[in-house]
Amino acid sequence: MKKIKMLSIKNQIVSKIACVAFVLITSITYAQNTNTETTQREGFIFEFAVGGGIISLEDSAGLQTFDKSQGTFVFPDLKFGYMLNENLAITAAMPGNIYEFQDNDRHFGAFVPSLQYWVKDRWWIHGGIGLAVDSPALYDIEDNVNDDWNFGCAVMASTGYEIYKKKNFALNLQSKLVLGRASLSSDAHRDAVLFNIGVGFSWF
């Protein structure tokens, strides 16, 4: 019964996020035809994003399963980069979410070398492959209990739409998907799926 209830909650969360994503995509499509304002995009770029989402994890050892998705606030994720031209930037992104594991808070994130491309003046896509990092949350480290750091591979894809722009600043709505695998001790591994929706603050 408890497992059925957890699955029901998970389905409700996924449904709500899917609805928000659909509205966001619809708004982006409509807005492309109604606004032609440009932004000065050149030199270095910096962005931080805040929002919410879900994280699902599964251990090969069976301690954590995808049936136990967790709603979470987005741990402020960062993006640094440089504009190669007006529409293309090379970036380093650091997405990540906090999750609960055996009564401790942990952080599953990544360091992802990536590319960001503006398909339209306000609409961009962003993606790359990099290093997955599974670590204790900095505020919840306990010696010999929650102090292990695990590394692996992560893939990230995101898209966003700039709802406000002025000179070298842009405010965007964005969604992000991260798939990662971190190696654990005893030849085990931990798989993670992160899906977030948030607001990004960008400077060029």
Side-chain angles (χ1 to χ4, degrees):
M1 182 64 71
K2 185 176 180 180
K3 183 175 181 180
I4 293 174
K5 185 176 180 180
M6 290 293 297
L7 288 172
S8 176
I9 294 173
K10 175 185 174 183
N11 291 336
Q12 290 176 19
I13 293 173
V14 172
S15 297
K16 289 178 181 178
I17 290 179
C19 289
V20 173
F22 176 77
V23 171
L24 177 60
I25 292 171
T26 302
S27 300
I28 290 172
T29 303
Y30 173 76
Q32 296 305 314
N33 299 320
T34 60
N35 199 309
T36 58
E37 183 183 351
T38 59
T39 300
Q40 299 174 5
R41 292 191 294 264
E42 59 183 7
F44 290 97
I45 66 173
F46 168 74
E47 177 183 288
F48 73 89
V50 294
I54 58 174
I55 178 171
S56 291
L57 302 105
E58 183 171 75
D59 292 338
S60 59
L63 299 177
Q64 191 95 15
T65 73
F66 281 130
D67 293 337
K68 299 179 181 179
S69 295
Q70 301 178 30
T72 178
F73 290 105
V74 173
F75 190 78
D77 61 44
L78 305 175
K79 181 196 303 177
F80 302 90
Y82 187 81
M83 297 299 303
L84 299 178
N85 57 49
E86 184 180 357
N87 296 318
L88 180 65
I90 183 169
T91 63
M94 289 178 280
N97 287 20
I98 299 293
Y99 69 95
E100 184 180 350
F101 179 71
Q102 295 183 335
D103 298 323
N104 293 110
D105 285 346
R106 294 185 59 80
H107 176 257
F108 198 104
F111 178 81
V112 184
S114 47
L115 293 174
Q116 182 167 331
Y117 180 72
W118 278 259
V119 180
K120 298 288 187 179
D121 181 54
R122 289 175 175 254
W123 175 35
W124 50 260
I125 56 177
H126 183 215
I129 301 174
L131 177 70
V133 182
D134 174 54
S135 65
L138 297 180
Y139 58 83
D140 195 17
I141 300 178
E142 297 182 33
D143 291 341
N144 301 318
V145 176
N146 189 39
D147 60 353
D148 55 312
W149 289 66
N150 310 304
F151 301 93
C153 183
V155 178
M156 180 199 71
S158 65
T159 184
Y161 180 75
E162 296 167 349
I163 58 175
Y164 174 80
K165 301 188 301 179
K166 186 173 183 180
K167 295 184 179 179
N168 64 339
F169 172 77
L171 178 68
N172 65 72
L173 296 177
Q174 60 180 260
S175 61
K176 183 174 298 177
L177 177 67
V178 180
L179 308 177
R181 168 172 287 189
S183 298
L184 308 178
S185 59
S186 303
D187 294 325
H189 60 264
R190 176 170 296 150
D191 294 326
V193 178
L194 291 68
F195 181 72
N196 299 325
I197 294 177
V199 178
F201 302 83
S202 303
W203 288 265
F204 301 90

